[in-house]
Amino acid sequence: TKGLILREPGAARGIRIADPEEDPLAEKRVPHLPIVSRTASDEPNRLRLRPSGSMYVDPAMLSGYDPDLCLIGRVSDDGFSENGIWRGDFVVVAELPAHRLMDDDTVAALVGESFLARRFTYGLSRYALHPAHRSYETINTRDNDPDCYLIGRVVGVIRRV
């Protein structure tokens, strides 16, 4: 049971809504992640300072990752639409440095003030962020580039219907 509806034993139609003051998800240790707001790539330390909100996510989505090192961002373009991530989708991101990522991982990055999803390749202290849609260009950059901040691995997508 999720704890949203409670049964009253022995009563006809014996159900009731759980106390609205209680948060039934909090006691089940469901991760509650910040939704980051627009942040410039040259100020990555401000990424978590002013979240635009927060969202509960399925713990299975974060399997193997520390929820305290995860966040949610809204994708700024359709550059990864061929792989199913569209402009406006929320992506759940495990914050990881470039050396902990694998070639062909789907990653999130700040480029200027844009929050992008791309395919990652790495080599000789440089990396490339490849779009899935051919009308977008590959971004070639290096570690510590103020115009591009690699946030980490995309571990889930959340879309409004």
Side-chain angles (χ1 to χ4, degrees):
T1 67
K2 297 187 188 271
L4 301 174
I5 298 175
L6 302 174
R7 291 182 181 256
E8 294 183 9
R13 298 186 185 115
I15 62 170
R16 66 179 174 84
I17 304 295
D19 183 356
E21 297 299 315
E22 294 177 20
D23 184 352
L25 297 176
E27 64 192 44
K28 297 188 187 310
R29 292 185 171 51
V30 175
H32 193 234
L33 303 180
I35 301 171
V36 297
S37 57
R38 277 182 94 167
T39 303
S41 59
D42 61 347
E43 298 181 294
N45 56 332
R46 299 187 68 203
L47 193 61
R48 289 176 171 265
L49 289 182
R50 294 178 300 129
S52 62
S54 61
M55 190 181 301
Y56 286 106
V57 299
D58 185 340
M61 193 179 285
L62 303 181
S63 180
Y65 298 102
D66 180 353
D68 291 335
L69 297 176
C70 295
L71 53 83
I72 297 173
R74 180 172 260 163
V75 177
S76 300
D77 73 4
D78 284 327
F80 221 60
S81 61
E82 299 295 316
N83 285 5
I85 300 176
W86 296 86
R87 179 181 186 188
D89 284 350
F90 292 101
V91 290
V92 179
V93 182
E95 294 181 272
L96 294 170
H99 70 273
R100 297 228 8 243
L101 297 168
M102 305 288 288
D103 276 351
D104 295 325
D105 272 350
T106 299
V107 298
L110 289 172
V111 178
E113 287 190 7
S114 297
F115 191 101
L116 307 178
R118 296 292 191 263
R119 183 176 57 85
F120 171 84
T121 57
Y122 190 76
L124 301 175
S125 76
R126 296 189 64 79
Y127 57 88
L129 302 173
H130 305 276
H133 195 284
R134 61 184 156 178
S135 66
Y136 291 81
E137 293 188 16
T138 296
I139 299 165
N140 293 296
T141 188
R142 64 190 189 308
D143 290 331
N144 302 318
D145 182 346
D147 295 325
C148 181
Y149 175 70
L150 185 64
I151 301 168
R153 182 178 295 134
V154 172
V155 298
V157 179
I158 301 168
R159 178 173 295 138
R160 287 188 178 178
V161 184

